[in-house]
Amino acid sequence: QKEVEQNSGPLSVPEGAIASLNCTYSDRGSQSFFWYRQYSGKSPELIMSIYSNGDKEDGRFTAQLNKASQYVSLLIRDSQPSDSATYLCAVNSYSGNTPLVFGKGTRLSVIA
Amino acid sequence: DAGITQSPRHKVTETGTPVTLRCHQTENHRYMYWYRQDPGHGLRLIHYSYGVKDTDKGEVSDGYSVSRSKTEDFLLTLESATSSQTSVYFCAISWENEKLFFGSGTQLSVL
């Protein structure tokens, strides 16, 4: 059973701080990794993808991947109240047509 | 929403009745998925499709069936709805079984 684990939160950070969201996965053969953001009552939307070890930056978001430790994280710099949402980690192992495996998500609350 | 439409957006039905949810895409993506989302459980895959008439079960497929007779349409049927199937249902599409794009969701209540 391939698993993706996230702390459910809530993770509360003050406005302007760095929010750090973490995800671990069980399948060592996993090849690609995604972060989705889901606002309350809305559908998930893709915000970051990462395929290689190291950091990938996109605006205020940085995804970090460490395949040896089976760990992927999302950093949100200068957190804003509008970043308050649930963040879902998803992992793809490229095993035939097997779909992505999603974590249950971490709820982030940015306090103004 | 990436050319993906779910219908209906809301539905209330009674226990024991069949229900069909529709997902329609205009993106010509090969992969289509049905998820349900419940508090404490996250997104759970019901069924998915990797081509016309090619479907497979997900982790919570009992009580659900799907059909895909055209690239653009993926139907989810609850054969005999139960209260445990009250949930928010999301359809998603993907070109290469990687980056998923989600529809707006269907809120289903089974009374």
Side-chain angles (χ1 to χ4, degrees):
Chain A
Q1 178 80 5
K2 299 171 184 175
E3 295 182 342
V4 176
E5 300 288 343
Q6 296 181 255
N7 189 318
S8 61
L11 173 66
S12 295
V13 300
E15 183 176 359
I18 296 175
S20 178
L21 304 163
N22 304 314
C23 172
T24 59
Y25 58 95
S26 63
D27 182 8
R28 191 168 286 278
S30 298
Q31 297 293 317
S32 50
F33 308 85
F34 307 91
W35 284 99
Y36 287 79
R37 178 178 62 199
Q38 186 176 23
Y39 292 115
S40 181
K42 301 296 185 182
S43 56
E45 58 176 331
L46 179 67
I47 57 172
M48 289 288 287
S49 59
I50 187 166
Y51 302 90
S52 303
N53 279 329
D55 295 359
K56 179 182 178 182
E57 187 174 317
D58 184 0
R60 294 186 297 112
F61 298 96
T62 299
Q64 299 176 317
L65 175 61
N66 184 325
K67 290 185 179 180
S69 300
Q70 296 176 236
Y71 177 96
V72 58
S73 64
L74 179 70
L75 302 179
I76 306 175
R77 290 183 300 281
D78 188 24
S79 295
Q80 301 297 309
S82 59
D83 295 324
S84 297
T86 296
Y87 290 81
L88 306 170
C89 175
V91 175
N92 192 340
S93 62
Y94 285 110
S95 176
N97 291 310
T98 305
L100 297 184
V101 179
F102 281 86
K104 293 182 179 180
T106 298
R107 187 156 57 93
L108 172 66
S109 179
V110 181
I111 311 301
Chain B
D1 290 328
I4 178 170
T5 304
Q6 290 186 233
S7 59
R9 292 295 311 278
H10 300 88
K11 184 165 182 73
V12 180
T13 191
E14 293 184 347
T15 298
T17 60
V19 176
T20 295
L21 308 183
R22 182 186 185 227
C23 180
H24 178 78
Q25 61 146 330
T26 58
E27 305 295 322
N28 201 35
H29 283 15
R30 176 185 176 192
Y31 293 88
M32 299 185 76
Y33 315 81
W34 278 108
Y35 289 88
R36 61 178 289 176
Q37 189 172 42
D38 306 285
H41 291 279
L43 282 169
R44 292 186 290 175
L45 182 65
I46 305 171
H47 282 280
Y48 64 102
S49 170
Y50 45 93
V52 174
K53 298 187 179 179
D54 291 322
T55 64
D56 206 346
K57 296 179 179 180
E59 62 179 302
V60 290
S61 59
D62 287 348
Y64 301 93
S65 62
V66 290
S67 67
R68 191 172 179 197
S69 58
K70 298 184 290 185
T71 298
E72 57 266 35
D73 289 326
F74 193 33
L75 303 180
L76 176 71
T77 298
L78 288 65
E79 294 142 8
S80 177
T82 68
S83 58
S84 65
Q85 293 176 313
T86 292
S87 188
V88 178
Y89 290 85
F90 287 106
C91 176
I93 62 175
S94 177
W95 179 246
E96 73 278 75
N97 197 27
E98 269 222 327
K99 299 175 182 176
L100 270 59
F101 299 95
F102 286 83
S104 299
T106 294
Q107 173 66 62
L108 176 67
S109 297
V110 184
L111 305 179

